[in-house]
Amino acid sequence: MAYGEKVYKVRNGKKTKQYSWRAKFLLPDGINYGSASGFATEKTAKEYGQEQEAAIRAGRWVDPKLSGTHFGVFAAEFMKARPKRGQTVDTRWKQLTGHIFPRWQYVPLRDINWFAVDSWQLNELQVDDVTKGHVVSLMSTILTAAVDARHLLVNPLMGRRRTKPVMVLGAVPKRVDESKWHPPAAVIQTAERLGWADGFQLLSAAFTGINWGEGQGLDRTHVLERRQLDDDGSAWTCPILRVVQEVAEYEQRGPGGEKLGTVLALEPLKNEHRIRDVDLPPFLAGLWRHRAEVWENDYLLSTESGSWWRRGNWGKVLRPAADGRPARARRQGAAERVAWEPLAPGLTMRGARHTHDTLQEQIMVAASLAYEQAGHKPSGIKGVYQHPTVRMRRHRLDGLQEVFVRAMLSLGKETLWGIPVNLELSQK
């Protein structure tokens, strides 16, 4: 039963005649009492205590001590209690230590409100807009966990839309970034310049949409299996790449976010939609068969020594092949090097994935199939009711084959890396 008790003020170590009132109320365990001080009268103290007991009975009471937990303390508890893939853990700690903690680490959970967070991300957080969204989303996820842990009654960030910067007079319109995708002929030229060992990875990404980690994770057990479907009473088959795992490069973290060193390791895919069979057009199926025959390593897009690529090392190989390089005379410790003109400035493995999805749009691949092949989650009710058919798959493969053949003909080529390639078009 709630009640109020006098709390005498102390001055110079001695109790005075001045006092205030402290509210006492029974805690959820039914044994111990909680308290809150600073009330002017016994009545207000008792009423506060009764309100707390009513909230406890209704199951909506939050201990003020818990709601006063610093955000940084609870965030560390959250990271420990919610294990994720190593790469996800590293990304979250980077967002916490690099962006969130400098402003919110020592703020009590109950003092975080949407107005303050929205103003901070708009005016103080100096990152691109996509990263701002990820940072605020992580904060919201942690505050939702605080609600679940009975540290807060509500998450003040839940369902709120971030304020975007106001347009100003004289602002230059944002140009369409055409460097995110590249013409197929430029991709083919860059891949050939890289050589058979390395360029095959770039070509595969541009015509399948597999990302960097997925390509590194392709081993012999998951390549050139076959998809078999019924096509109006006839069996239809096509070679596939089975994407079931990926290689991730990330900073391993301790319980408190401390760095333990960079690792390169196999990880499960991000979600169930990323687990997929990617259909191969004829030219690429032939190249994959050749790869499987001559490549001595278990992972078919590895380095020649059999190890997985590190992103930094791959960038050192890809950048001059795509962007070009100046000539270099022979000198002690360095061989002569001919100049390379730019072929696909700015091309990256992510750009190759952009290229693939753009080509799918160009050849009008059905949305349900485009989502499936890219490993994306279908959106809306159409994503529930629409499914790829054999005719859709044939149309996609015929379209990609035609794109490749046209690019090869424009370059006057019939082979890649000295390997004959299939340049036949479908006879519809």
Side-chain angles (χ1 to χ4, degrees):
M1 181 68 70
Y3 63 93
E5 67 175 10
K6 287 181 179 179
V7 179
Y8 286 92
K9 296 181 180 180
V10 176
R11 186 180 293 112
N12 298 325
K14 295 182 180 180
K15 185 170 69 174
T16 68
K17 294 182 179 180
Q18 295 178 314
Y19 60 85
S20 59
W21 290 89
R22 176 190 293 137
K24 301 287 286 187
F25 51 91
L26 199 60
L27 292 174
D29 60 14
I31 300 174
N32 298 305
Y33 277 82
S35 64
S37 303
F39 296 94
T41 66
E42 180 181 13
K43 180 181 179 182
T44 55
K46 184 175 181 179
E47 287 176 347
Y48 176 85
Q50 290 172 338
E51 291 173 359
Q52 303 312 300
E53 290 181 345
I56 290 171
R57 289 192 297 272
R60 51 181 174 78
W61 181 75
V62 171
D63 188 339
K65 293 180 181 178
L66 296 180
S67 66
T69 303
H70 288 167
F71 179 86
V73 172
F74 185 78
E77 294 178 10
F78 168 85
M79 292 295 292
K80 184 177 180 180
R82 302 288 175 85
K84 293 285 186 179
R85 300 184 311 153
Q87 191 170 21
T88 303
V89 171
D90 181 37
T91 299
R92 285 182 167 182
W93 273 116
K94 285 178 180 177
Q95 292 173 348
L96 286 168
T97 58
H99 305 307
I100 299 174
F101 280 176
R103 171 62 177 84
W104 302 100
Q105 183 173 8
Y106 299 109
V107 176
L109 293 172
R110 61 170 171 257
D111 290 345
I112 298 175
N113 61 77
W114 175 243
F115 180 81
V117 172
D118 192 37
S119 298
W120 164 71
Q121 68 86 22
L122 178 64
N123 301 312
E124 300 176 37
L125 193 55
Q126 301 300 311
V127 293
D128 61 86
D129 192 66
V130 172
T131 302
K132 286 184 178 184
H134 292 163
V135 167
V136 174
S137 177
L138 177 57
M139 282 192 70
S140 181
T141 298
I142 293 173
L143 292 177
T144 295
V147 173
D148 296 338
R150 306 300 294 271
H151 285 45
L152 290 173
L153 275 176
V154 296
N155 172 7
L157 276 55
M158 177 66 73
R160 304 304 297 267
R161 180 174 296 181
R162 293 182 297 114
T163 302
K164 300 298 181 72
V166 176
M167 293 296 294
V168 296
L169 289 174
V172 178
K174 185 177 180 180
R175 298 181 62 183
V176 176
D177 188 355
E178 297 180 347
S179 66
K180 289 184 177 179
W181 82 280
H182 296 266
V187 174
I188 292 171
Q189 287 180 296
T190 305
E192 186 158 49
R193 178 181 277 177
L194 284 166
W196 163 243
D198 304 332
F200 184 60
Q201 179 170 203
L202 176 65
L203 186 73
S204 292
F207 283 91
T208 64
I210 57 173
N211 68 23
W212 168 261
E214 293 167 348
Q216 293 291 293
L218 285 171
D219 60 24
R220 292 184 180 278
T221 62
H222 297 116
V223 301
L224 292 179
E225 297 189 32
R226 299 192 73 83
R227 185 193 300 278
Q228 183 167 332
L229 298 171
D230 177 73
D231 183 21
D232 294 332
S234 301
W236 178 82
T237 66
C238 77
I240 60 170
L241 299 179
R242 180 154 290 164
V243 182
V244 298
Q245 60 194 13
E246 67 178 352
V247 174
E249 181 179 359
Y250 57 90
E251 190 76 41
Q252 195 171 18
R253 301 278 182 162
E258 60 274 16
K259 296 181 179 180
L260 302 178
T262 303
V263 299
L264 203 61
L266 274 177
E267 288 204 334
L269 296 174
K270 186 176 181 180
N271 55 53
E272 67 274 16
H273 302 286
R274 289 293 177 90
I275 301 173
R276 64 198 189 279
D277 293 337
V278 180
D279 302 335
L280 295 177
F283 82 89
L284 197 54
L287 288 171
W288 268 100
R289 278 192 293 271
H290 182 72
R291 186 76 164 194
E293 290 172 0
V294 304
W295 200 249
E296 297 179 354
N297 307 311
D298 289 336
Y299 292 91
L300 299 185
L301 295 181
S302 67
T303 65
E304 290 187 88
S305 66
S307 60
W308 291 315
W309 277 98
R310 290 190 178 274
R311 289 180 182 270
N313 293 339
W314 173 253
K316 293 176 183 177
V317 172
L318 177 60
R319 289 274 50 83
D323 301 343
R325 70 184 185 191
R328 183 178 66 193
R330 181 180 178 182
R331 63 176 186 272
Q332 185 176 3
E336 181 181 4
R337 188 178 68 187
V338 299
W340 281 348
E341 75 281 4
L343 293 175
L347 174 61
T348 64
M349 295 301 287
R350 181 181 290 274
R353 187 168 163 86
H354 277 262
T355 296
H356 172 258
D357 217 28
T358 301
L359 291 177
Q360 290 197 124
E361 183 73 11
Q362 175 180 299
I363 61 179
M364 295 185 290
V365 174
S368 58
L369 180 57
Y371 275 109
E372 178 208 82
Q373 293 291 282
H376 292 160
K377 180 181 179 180
S379 58
I381 195 65
K382 297 298 184 183
V384 177
Y385 284 95
Q386 293 182 347
H387 309 279
T389 66
V390 170
R391 182 168 294 186
M392 293 178 189
R393 294 185 187 280
R394 280 179 165 169
H395 172 77
R396 173 180 174 273
L397 295 178
D398 291 345
L400 290 175
Q401 180 75 5
E402 182 177 354
V403 167
F404 175 77
V405 171
R406 286 181 177 276
M408 290 289 286
L409 293 178
S410 72
L411 297 171
K413 301 179 64 64
E414 295 182 356
T415 65
L416 279 177
W417 312 290
I419 304 168
V421 291
N422 185 335
L423 296 180
E424 295 181 4
L425 294 177
S426 171
Q427 300 297 319
K428 296 182 180 179

